[in-house]
Amino acid sequence: MRFGTASKFALSATLALLAFFLPWQASLVLFLCVVILEIFSDTYKPISAPAHKAFLRFLAYLVSLGLFMVFINGLLIEGDDDACIILGLSFYPDGLAFGLNVACRLMLLSSAILLFFVSTPIKIFADLLGYFGLPQKIISIILLTTFYLEQLPARIRQIFWSQEARGAPIKGNFILRIRSFFSILSPLVLSSLVESVNRGMALELRGFRGQVPPSRPRDVRDFRLAYLILSTSFVLLLWQVWK
Amino acid sequence: MEIRLDGFSFQYVSSQPTVVSEVSVAVASGACCAILGPTGAGKTTLLLAISGALGAQHSSGTGRGEISVGPHVFRPMPDKVLFPQVGLCLQEPQIMISGLRDTVYDEIKFSLENISVDPELHEEQIVSVMERLGIQHLRDRKPFTLSGGELQRLTLATLLVVQPPVLLLDEPGNSLDDDALSRLVRILRQLRGRTTVLFSDNQPDLAILAADSILIMEDGEVISFGDKKSFLKNLGEFKSSLPVRKWQDVIRVLSRSSSLRAKRVKKRFGLA
């Protein structure tokens, strides 16, 4: 079964929400589920190979950060129980448990959010926001910003090459790189300002005033499922608060 | 729709010189007029003023005179963009791409959405514009993966799809190879009688091939305005306004139609 965008969003939001109150064991299992979903499911298939690569790289950072948190907390937070000695270092069980809790929460929360964005083109996400009632002007700003960010690496590369061609010390030691940073930054800022003015004018010349009608939902059944998932997670949250 | 400018002048900043000075011209409805001149002659400013973008974007500038677009008279110029009555295609086609749509087809559709026309009802119109401009095979491509010439045609399509009575093109010949240029000439000829077209250029070949009248500008002032015949008759007078290198293009264009005339021009400029 392949979920639609709304259900995907609801499931990711639910996973992120669950990260706040589930014990670390459950969070860890769900984190592994997120990884499996990203790799094997059709619904959460990454939009591109670079997106998949970036996701895996992010997971690697996340796991390293998690391990570091467990290590530091286990080492520094003393509890009532006796410390256990591993490789000559004293680790406190309370500190380890706290570290595991925080690390697993963080891992589940961030991977669940990223899972949605890795598998959803930003324009489809914008459609969804429009359906949920976000004003079209704000959606346009989001889309134009992401469009600008997409163009940014190419622009930086271009400025980098032109500065290098002019003999600016782009490559070299740290101090040289810091100095050259300003020679890249000012053309980047200036060209961005000029382009944003021109692009605004071009959009106006095509009659755009942020009034594009919101997209119609593509699949109503998908929205029903999304609402069901979101309601369930809110019930779980309320139950947790009440408990 | 007729375009008329009466003593139109414009200054971006009061302390700086006038960019466009006392321009008075009239372009009949359905005619095609080329605005020629070197860089900095005021061609783009003139087109921006007619489209309304100048008034909307540079409200602090000082304008004089008046601009009429069809029955509407603006003193000194329109203060808001006149789309879809007037469509302006800027010099850099990549700037005209919205960045809000994923495919060439959707990018064209976007123009119809902006004027609240249901694009589903006008699919035929979109397809026909794509065919006219020879971009139907690019239908599902991402706009930013297109080449310069393809982008140029796409931006033209985004304007033509709304069928504006007035079409303004800022240096449309840039980044076009010979084939694309001939296609543009064909399109401009097809528009004759239906759409009033004004385009700027700094080389005369497109003007000679497609325009009915030619306006020559230098330093914001009109040097000459008249039909193509009078332009060709007085070629020598404009030698200082247009770079000599470009005269080779004039001769090349002329030699296509009349070798006798080409010989005469070559002799006159000492290029024979």
Side-chain angles (χ1 to χ4, degrees):
Chain A
M1 179 188 167
R2 193 183 154 84
F3 281 5
T5 314
S7 307
K8 240 165 68 172
F9 177 73
L11 198 63
S12 289
T14 302
L15 285 171
L17 206 64
L18 288 174
F20 286 100
F21 56 83
L22 285 180
W24 70 266
Q25 295 91 335
S27 293
L28 188 62
V29 170
L30 287 178
F31 170 71
L32 293 173
C33 290
V34 165
V35 179
I36 290 167
L37 279 174
E38 202 274 343
I39 297 172
F40 297 108
S41 83
D42 247 8
T43 302
Y44 285 102
K45 200 175 165 184
I47 46 175
S48 64
H52 175 63
K53 238 181 180 172
F55 183 77
L56 292 182
R57 207 178 309 136
F58 180 76
L59 286 188
Y61 285 131
L62 212 55
V63 171
S64 319
L65 182 71
L67 288 173
F68 180 69
M69 283 169 85
V70 175
F71 177 81
I72 288 289
N73 283 296
L75 211 60
L76 299 178
I77 299 180
E78 291 180 29
D80 299 331
D81 300 326
D82 292 335
C84 50
I85 299 188
I86 304 168
L87 298 170
L89 294 169
S90 312
F91 288 97
Y92 299 96
D94 284 0
L96 284 174
F98 179 75
L100 275 167
N101 235 334
V102 175
C104 291
R105 266 180 197 179
L106 184 76
M107 278 155 57
L108 178 59
L109 182 74
S110 31
S111 62
I113 294 169
L114 196 67
L115 180 68
F116 175 75
F117 286 104
V118 151
S119 58
T120 314
I122 198 80
K123 286 185 175 71
I124 293 183
F125 176 58
D127 276 358
L128 186 72
L129 291 178
Y131 178 69
F132 282 139
L134 197 73
Q136 282 300 309
K137 279 190 183 173
I138 295 176
I139 294 173
S140 305
I141 291 169
I142 294 172
L143 286 176
L144 286 171
T145 310
T146 50
F147 168 72
Y148 175 74
L149 290 175
E150 264 178 52
Q151 311 282 315
L152 202 60
R155 188 189 295 256
I156 292 175
R157 230 175 3 253
Q158 222 169 19
I159 295 173
F160 190 87
W161 286 336
S162 14
Q163 294 294 351
E164 200 176 15
R166 287 176 56 212
I170 304 293
K171 286 171 188 157
N173 61 34
F174 183 70
I175 307 276
L176 277 177
R177 278 168 183 241
I178 292 283
R179 275 170 58 191
S180 70
F181 173 73
F182 292 102
S183 66
I184 291 171
L185 193 68
S186 46
L188 183 70
V189 171
L190 283 176
S191 67
S192 304
L193 285 174
V194 170
E195 194 186 317
S196 62
V197 170
N198 287 343
R199 198 164 283 284
M201 183 162 76
L203 282 171
E204 212 177 331
L205 280 170
R206 291 183 61 193
F208 179 70
R209 284 169 189 84
Q211 78 286 33
V212 177
S215 312
R216 283 183 289 273
R218 293 188 177 91
D219 184 355
V220 177
R221 279 175 310 168
D222 183 45
F223 279 86
R224 283 191 199 133
L225 182 63
Y227 285 128
L228 187 71
I229 297 170
L230 279 176
S231 325
T232 315
S233 64
F234 276 112
V235 169
L236 274 170
L237 182 69
L238 287 175
W239 175 70
Q240 185 68 21
V241 171
W242 177 74
K243 200 176 75 169
Chain B
M1 227 177 230
E2 189 197 24
I3 302 283
R4 183 180 286 276
L5 284 89
D6 277 323
F8 179 72
S9 304
F10 187 79
Q11 249 177 315
Y12 282 101
V13 183
S14 54
S15 56
Q16 283 177 4
T18 314
V19 186
V20 173
S21 188
E22 295 289 326
V23 175
S24 296
V25 287
V27 181
S29 178
C32 178
C33 172
I35 306 170
L36 298 183
T39 307
K43 308 183 296 281
T44 303
T45 304
L46 205 61
L47 293 179
L48 286 172
I50 299 168
S51 73
L54 192 67
Q57 296 277 329
H58 298 276
S59 49
S60 57
T62 316
R64 281 190 309 276
E66 65 177 43
I67 293 177
S68 312
V69 180
H72 308 286
V73 181
F74 303 95
R75 287 191 188 89
M77 61 188 153
D79 58 0
K80 62 174 191 203
V81 170
L82 299 179
F83 188 85
Q85 274 72 40
V86 179
L88 167 64
C89 184
L90 295 173
Q91 202 173 333
E92 294 170 67
Q94 66 274 20
I95 288 287
M96 292 297 290
I97 302 302
S98 70
L100 297 168
R101 294 293 179 265
D102 269 339
T103 63
V104 164
Y105 182 86
D106 286 345
E107 189 62 43
I108 301 171
K109 199 167 97 171
F110 178 69
S111 298
L112 291 174
E113 289 169 354
N114 287 336
I115 53 167
S116 306
V117 174
D118 187 351
E120 307 303 330
L121 299 175
H122 290 262
E123 192 178 341
E124 222 171 273
Q125 198 175 322
I126 300 173
V127 173
S128 132
V129 166
M130 285 169 80
E131 279 171 1
R132 252 165 76 197
L133 295 169
I135 53 170
Q136 67 275 29
H137 61 289
L138 306 171
R139 188 187 164 113
D140 297 319
R141 285 265 301 273
K142 281 191 169 192
F144 277 91
T145 60
L146 304 182
S147 69
E150 289 168 339
L151 262 182
Q152 186 78 270
R153 278 184 277 161
L154 169 60
T155 53
L156 204 53
T158 61
L159 296 177
L160 288 179
V161 75
V162 298
Q163 298 176 328
V166 177
L167 184 64
L168 311 173
L169 308 169
D170 194 7
E171 305 205 3
N174 282 359
S175 70
L176 293 188
D177 56 20
D178 275 358
D179 274 356
L181 203 65
S182 326
R183 196 187 287 270
L184 181 63
V185 170
R186 244 191 345 263
I187 293 159
L188 292 177
R189 281 179 183 162
Q190 279 170 8
L191 292 173
R192 192 170 284 157
R194 282 182 291 154
T195 307
T196 312
V197 180
L198 268 89
F199 68 87
S200 69
D201 214 337
N202 55 17
Q203 45 186 308
D205 54 351
L206 183 61
I208 292 169
L209 288 167
D212 303 310
S213 55
I214 294 172
L215 170 73
I216 314 264
M217 289 183 77
E218 195 173 8
D219 294 331
E221 287 176 10
V222 175
I223 295 181
S224 146
F225 178 60
D227 59 13
K228 196 156 60 183
K229 250 186 187 166
S230 65
F231 169 71
L232 293 172
K233 210 169 152 190
N234 304 310
L235 274 173
E237 287 174 27
F238 315 122
K239 203 176 173 180
S240 62
S241 314
L242 298 167
V244 175
R245 189 174 61 85
K246 306 298 178 192
W247 289 107
Q248 306 280 5
D249 297 335
V250 178
I251 290 155
R252 183 168 52 82
V253 171
L254 288 175
S255 61
R256 278 182 205 158
S257 53
S258 155
S259 57
L260 190 70
R261 184 181 279 168
K263 270 182 197 163
R264 259 206 320 259
V265 173
K266 279 182 187 174
K267 200 174 164 189
R268 198 162 169 181
F269 289 96
L271 297 163

